[in-house]
């Protein structure tokens, strides 16, 4: 008689294997969801690219940009009308 060296797993071992597979599938799904969440990835990228002072004081940065735009428009109007330049 030959001895069967390959034994079939018992119920406890099957439960353990199923639990491991569920864990692996859950991690895979989380990774896929993170890759396809374009909005979150874009927000993270913008946060990483934004300088620290702008993140800390966004109103100051907005006010500075607005002042530069207003100054540019005023200078453009002055040059266009011939008053300056």
């Amino acid at each position: 008689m030959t001895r069967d060296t390959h034994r079939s797993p018992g119920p406890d071992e099957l439960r353990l294997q199923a639990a491991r597979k569920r864990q692996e599938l859950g991690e895979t799904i989380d990774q896929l969801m993170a890759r396809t969440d374009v909005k979150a990835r874009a927000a993270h990228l913008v946060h990483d690219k934004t300088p620290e002072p702008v993140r800390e004081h966004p109103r100051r940065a907005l006010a500075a940009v607005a002042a530069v735009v207003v100054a540019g428009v005023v200078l453009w109007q002055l040059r266009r009308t011939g008053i300056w330049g």
Side-chain angles (χ1 to χ4, degrees), residues 2-79:
T2 61
R3 205 177 241 223
D4 188 20
T5 57
H6 182 70
R7 65 176 181 83
S8 58
D12 291 336
E13 192 174 337
L14 288 172
R15 284 188 193 97
L16 185 60
Q17 288 175 358
R20 278 191 218 126
K21 281 294 180 193
R22 276 194 297 274
Q23 180 68 28
E24 289 174 14
L25 287 172
E27 291 172 3
T28 302
I29 288 172
D30 288 343
Q31 291 171 358
L32 288 172
M33 288 178 63
R35 285 184 180 182
T36 59
D37 191 358
V38 176
K39 186 176 179 180
R41 288 176 68 191
H44 184 69
L45 182 64
V46 167
H47 184 270
D48 288 348
K49 299 285 182 182
T50 304
E52 188 74 26
V54 174
R55 277 186 287 182
E56 291 177 3
H57 307 289
R59 289 185 184 201
R60 285 185 189 170
L62 183 60
V65 169
V68 169
V69 169
V70 168
V73 169
V74 167
L75 289 174
W76 175 69
Q77 283 291 337
L78 289 173
R79 291 183 126 205

